[in-house]
């Protein structure tokens, strides 16, 4: 290993970390000291990415650095939190300088953009795995949660869905795509953009929120379950889909419903606040409504109602 652990930490992580004045003590001591302002709650989340499980083995290291932080910031976005700090536990097979250079650049570029400071971590040798813990701040009592949806609330998504899932299918040969289509899908998989600004704007507006990491139906299902076992109807034609070349509508719709990794937000808003929402987030799309009756139902453009299965495509094919 060409670099010692301490050189590696200094060169790739300590020197490049952004500076915030609420970091009393950052990298270099036994632990970090962070100042939470009066009237705020600390929001904490952690996610691990393992090579071959959460990203294909040969993914560019800059994309891995970006994504490891992006998925955590996306959790903060879904809570309505403003990102502040993060820690990084990195397990590496070897201290490969080229790999580290790319990883650190992907990581720090996004950290800079989000204003989030790296304040500590751990570095070990073993099969490649990256764990990031992100911390954010939210005014007391204003966090967005999964458990606040009510029957009658409108269901929204923050942007187009399905690109990441289509990109992965294209990469792994489950879907035939042209080189141009793959190139236009790939950023959705490699460089998800956490919806931090949207999340903060939703404070006081959304009754519940989640980020879409497992697919729209699965993640909306978490909101409905947490909110007391509610259900929903979705107008399928209103779901904003990845727009790519000649890929069939039905393939893109399935990716939007069932594939994950897009990191858009799904949230609910009481009808009484829907005009406020449209003023604050004009690009958010209303795709359906929360209902008392448990389960997920799709409404086709012909007005036909079909049962949607969170786990599979079975019921879906017939109605599309
Ligand atoms: P300790 O043995 O006390 O846990 P370490 O030797 O693991 O300390 O780490 C030394 C310092 O470097 C600590 O402040 C730790 O938070 C920081 N650090 C270690 N690895 C990383 C990393 N990958 N990214 C950022 N900071 C790190
Ligand atoms: Mg340590």
């Amino acid at each position: 290993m060409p670099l010692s652990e301490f050189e590696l930490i200094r060169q790739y992580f300590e020197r490049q970390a952004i500076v915030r004045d609420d970091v009393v003590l950052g990298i270099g001591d036994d632990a970090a000291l962070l100042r939470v302002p009066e009237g705020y709650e600390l929001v904490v989340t952690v996610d691990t990415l393992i090579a071959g499980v959460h990203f294909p083995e040969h993914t560019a290291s800059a994309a891995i650095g970006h994504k490891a932080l992006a998925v955590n910031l996306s959790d903060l976005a879904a809570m309505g939190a403003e990102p502040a700090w993060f820690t990084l536990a990195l397990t590496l097979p070897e201290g490969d300088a080229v790999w580290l250079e790319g990883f650190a650049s992907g990581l720090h570029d996004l950290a800079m953009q989000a204003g989030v400071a790296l304040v500590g971590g751990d570095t070990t040798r073993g099969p490649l795995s990256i764990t990031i813990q992100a911390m954010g701040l939210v005014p007391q009592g204003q966090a967005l949660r999964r458990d606040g949806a009510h029957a009658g609330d409108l269901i929204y998504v923050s942007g187009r869905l399905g690109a990441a899932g289509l990109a992965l299918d294209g990469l792994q040969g489950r879907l035939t795509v042209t080189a141009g289509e793959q190139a236009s899908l790939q950023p959705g998989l490699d460089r998800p953009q956490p919806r931090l600004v949207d999340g903060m704007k939703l404070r006081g507006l959304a009754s519940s929120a989640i980020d879409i990491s497992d697919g729209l139906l699965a993640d909306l299902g978490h909101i409905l379950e947490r909110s007391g076992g509610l259900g929903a109807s979705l107008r399928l034609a209103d779901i904003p889909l990845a727009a790519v070349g000649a890929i069939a509508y039905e393939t893109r719709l399935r990716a939007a419903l069932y594939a994950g990794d897009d990191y858009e937000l799904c949230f609910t808003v009481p009808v009484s606040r829907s005009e406020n929402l449209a003023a604050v987030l004009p690009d958010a799309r209303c795709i359906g409504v929360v209902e008392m009756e448990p389960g997920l139902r799709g409404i086709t453009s012909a007005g036909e109602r079909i049962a949607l299965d969170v786990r599979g495509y079975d019921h879906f094919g017939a109605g599309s």
Side-chain angles (χ1 to χ4, degrees), residues 155 220 224 230-234 288-298 305 308:
I155 301 167
L220 173 59
L224 298 171
L230 300 172
S233 284
L234 300 179
V289 63
V290 178
E291 295 167 342
M292 284 303 287
E293 185 191 344
L296 292 168
R297 293 157 290 277
R305 282 163 69 90
L308 294 172

Side-chain angles (χ1 to χ4, degrees), residues 207-231:
S207 51
S208 72
I210 193 168
D211 67 321
I212 303 178
S213 55
D214 295 335
L216 173 63
L217 297 190
D219 288 314
L220 173 59
H222 294 314
I223 286 184
L224 298 171
E225 191 189 311
R226 282 265 159 189
S227 297
L230 300 172

Side-chain angles (χ1 to χ4, degrees), residues 5-6 9 13 27-30 88 90 118 120-123:
E5 180 188 330
F6 297 104
I9 294 167
F13 302 115
I27 294 174
D29 213 301
D30 291 311
L88 166 67
L90 187 58
L118 177 59
D122 198 24
T123 307

Side-chain angles (χ1 to χ4, degrees), residues 131-142:
T131 297
I132 286 181
Q133 178 188 51
M135 289 157 277
L137 299 167
V138 69
Q140 249 160 44
Q142 289 190 37

Side-chain angles (χ1 to χ4, degrees), residues 43-64:
V43 184
V44 181
T45 182
V46 64
D47 265 307
T48 296
L49 265 63
I50 296 172
V53 179
H54 301 100
F55 54 86
E57 300 273 358
H58 299 293
T59 305
S61 62
I64 298 171

